[in-house]
Amino acid sequence: MELIIGPRRFSTWSLRPWLVLKRCDADFTVRELDFNTSEGHAEMLAASPSGLVPVLKVEGETIWDSMAISVWAAERYPQAKLWPADAHARWLARSAACEMHGGFGALRTHCTMNPDHLMVGDTRSPPPENEAVAADLRRLVELWTGMRVRFGAGGDFLFGDWSVPDAFFTPVATRIRHYQIDLGLYGDTDGVARAYADTLLAQPDFLEWERTALAG
Ligand SMILES: N[C@@H](CCC(=O)N[C@@H](CS)C(=O)NCC(=O)O)C(=O)O
């Protein structure tokens, strides 16, 4: 099984299913393509039906899109419990992951994860002054706090134990750290959202990705 990804330093869509597969203890190799070079771009177009990464090559098929790979992994590795066991939590966990997958456009556009920023670099930028970004951050705090308060009692993750939404929000936590965003300005009065972001950034799998990215 091979996961084909973009450059670790800034391919946030690649990080998400990589985290998911790590949680499954899946036996997989990684092919990292630099799609900014003409060879890397050509290899990506040859490997991916959508022309985008990540894609997973498994059992003669190519599964494309971070969410589709995560859904496949939950089916293939039920023991990894990638979605919450409680039905209500599970419904909302899927909503949360899908909202991240399809939304938060302003945050993704204006607070990018790019090679110059690194993820733990010391050349940090101030958060952009932008009402659309502010609206995304208010919504993020509302979502994180709401889910943590309602479902998070059993652990430090969004729904208590680690689940797919935690993979989808990890790149957002890197942006909050990089841009030194004070979530308190966006409704995080009790620090629940901040603590959750810190939890995501302290996970061994994320730290392994970050180390590899920074070494590359
Ligand atoms: N909805 C897709 C988005 C994938 C995506 O945008 N991937 C970017 C890398 S982070 C890409 O392949 N970019 C290559 C390009 O635009 O040429 C997913 O969730 O996997």
Side-chain angles (χ1 to χ4, degrees):
M1 178 160 71
E2 182 183 47
L3 182 68
I4 304 178
I5 63 170
R8 280 186 175 80
R9 283 182 177 224
F10 60 92
S11 182
T12 58
W13 293 116
S14 301
L15 169 57
R16 293 170 169 111
W18 184 86
L19 289 172
V20 167
L21 291 175
K22 292 287 280 183
R23 284 277 165 174
C24 299
D25 219 6
D27 184 14
F28 69 106
T29 55
V30 172
R31 184 164 22 134
E32 181 173 344
L33 300 180
D34 183 355
F35 48 66
N36 294 314
T37 66
S38 52
E39 310 82 67
H41 191 70
E43 204 176 330
M44 184 176 73
L45 294 182
S48 168
S50 65
L52 298 172
V53 284
V55 296
L56 184 71
K57 302 276 184 188
V58 59
E59 294 177 22
E61 295 295 350
T62 302
I63 303 174
W64 70 96
D65 195 283
S66 58
M67 182 59 83
I69 297 168
S70 302
V71 169
W72 172 86
E75 195 180 294
R76 173 69 181 73
Y77 300 97
Q79 72 281 8
K81 298 182 170 53
L82 292 179
W83 297 107
D86 174 76
H88 291 245
R90 194 164 59 247
W91 301 337
L92 301 196
R94 289 177 180 150
S95 295
C98 287
E99 183 174 350
M100 181 66 247
H101 186 246
F104 295 103
L107 192 57
R108 289 197 279 115
T109 302
H110 297 288
C111 300
T112 54
M113 192 161 95
N114 78 39
D116 297 327
H117 294 156
L118 303 181
M119 288 176 256
V120 288
D122 37 35
T123 55
R124 299 183 182 200
S125 327
E129 303 270 335
N130 181 313
E131 182 42 40
V133 172
D136 274 359
L137 288 168
R138 285 193 295 272
R139 171 60 193 144
L140 189 73
V141 167
E142 176 187 60
L143 170 60
W144 284 2
T145 305
M147 296 303 113
R148 282 285 304 138
V149 167
R150 190 166 163 206
F151 297 108
D156 293 333
F157 297 102
L158 204 56
F159 291 85
D161 290 335
W162 195 93
S163 63
V164 170
D166 300 307
F168 276 72
F169 285 118
T170 295
V172 180
T174 71
R175 290 160 196 225
I176 289 167
R177 179 178 61 183
H178 171 75
Y179 289 96
Q180 303 183 77
I181 293 169
D182 176 1
L183 292 178
L185 300 174
Y186 304 95
D188 187 30
T189 46
D190 46 14
V192 169
R194 174 84 238 175
Y196 171 59
D198 289 345
T199 293
L200 295 180
L201 296 177
Q203 294 313 300
D205 289 339
F206 169 71
L207 294 173
E208 180 188 329
W209 173 281
E210 185 174 62
R211 263 195 316 276
T212 313
L214 294 174

